[in-house]
Amino acid sequence: EHSSTSAGQSSTVVVDTTVQGFGDIDIGGSTDATGLFLVTWTPFQLIIVVARADVMCRTYAVGGLLGATTNLAVQIGCGSGVATSRTAGPGERWAVVWTEDSAAGCLGGNIAFAVIASHGAVVQSRVAIDTSVLNNDSFPDVAGDGTTFLATWQRGASAPRDIMGAVIGPSGAGFAKLSASLNLTQLEPGAPLAGDQRGARIEWDGCRYAYGYLEGTTPRPFLATLALD
């Protein structure tokens, strides 16, 4: 229990009681003051001496009430990076992105996503964003307004690395990748191509996106903004 103005506003809960290892965790909130959050995490287990991670999520309500646990992806490999859009936005949906192996033996890295409604229902199950073999995609992040999202990730395990992006949005009864995989390193206006960019993080302010990253052999932080037409 943590200090707060009221006991109902503050509580500690165990999100996953399974006795196993965990690789990553992230959380997104809501913008309509419902007090709902989405928690995502990547439990893993050893299967024939190889770590195999799942992607799990469940809602959390202020006061300590947890929703049902949902498995978004099963045995995605050794990759365990997961990210959730910071808020559900006006569209009241969260996007979740994560890393998967692109080949057996913990090789490479692909990016996939799912979309969750603010009450916890899966409105779009797993969809691959980029499955190019052995591109070593990692460090995914995502932001948006609850209807349209922009996912970013790092391409390459060593220099020179690039920052990639893709638009996620409504398609038919669900959601899909609506753009090609964009090399944001090359699209950046008024800047020479960098030798090495990595570790992007992205956020949305209600109008445009801003993504930050580290650049160069002696890393410096950079920030770029963009708007979707």
Side-chain angles (χ1 to χ4, degrees):
E1 191 80 13
H2 297 292
S3 60
S4 181
T5 54
S6 70
Q9 290 292 316
S10 183
S11 61
T12 300
V13 295
V14 180
V15 175
D16 191 332
T17 59
T18 308
V19 180
Q20 57 189 332
F22 297 91
D24 203 5
I25 187 170
D26 201 13
I27 188 168
S30 179
T31 55
D32 62 359
T34 61
L36 286 175
F37 299 84
L38 183 72
V39 185
T40 55
W41 70 100
T42 55
F44 66 87
Q45 55 185 315
L46 290 177
I47 300 178
I48 314 179
V49 201
V50 176
R52 307 297 293 177
D54 293 349
V55 180
M56 314 289 283
C57 75
R58 66 192 307 183
T59 56
Y60 170 85
V62 170
L65 180 63
L66 288 167
T69 298
T70 299
N71 195 323
L72 299 177
V74 179
Q75 295 188 14
I76 59 175
C78 303
S80 60
V82 64
T84 305
S85 50
R86 301 296 175 262
T87 73
E92 286 306 313
R93 303 179 192 91
W94 291 286
V96 181
V97 293
W98 62 85
T99 308
E100 303 179 347
D101 288 356
S102 59
C106 303
L107 297 176
N110 297 332
I111 306 298
F113 81 89
V115 179
I116 316 298
S118 61
H119 58 278
V122 177
V123 294
Q124 177 59 62
S125 57
R126 178 199 172 276
V127 174
I129 295 180
D130 198 301
T131 58
S132 303
V133 178
L134 301 183
N135 266 336
N136 288 303
D137 292 331
S138 60
F139 298 102
D141 201 10
V142 65
D145 62 2
T147 300
T148 302
F149 304 91
L150 182 63
T152 58
W153 66 95
Q154 172 185 299
R155 171 153 295 173
S158 58
R161 292 161 286 199
D162 291 327
I163 302 303
M164 306 295 294
V167 180
I168 299 167
S171 178
F175 284 74
K177 176 185 176 184
L178 299 184
S179 72
S181 293
L182 308 171
N183 190 322
L184 299 179
T185 297
Q186 297 182 8
L187 291 176
E188 209 167 289
L193 295 183
D196 189 30
Q197 293 183 326
R198 59 196 182 279
R201 289 292 179 261
I202 189 166
E203 191 51 273
W204 175 78
D205 72 349
C207 177
R208 64 188 63 78
Y209 295 90
Y211 62 97
Y213 54 89
L214 297 175
E215 179 176 294
T217 54
T218 302
R220 296 182 296 165
F222 280 73
L223 184 75
T225 61
L226 60 85
L228 299 179
D229 295 330

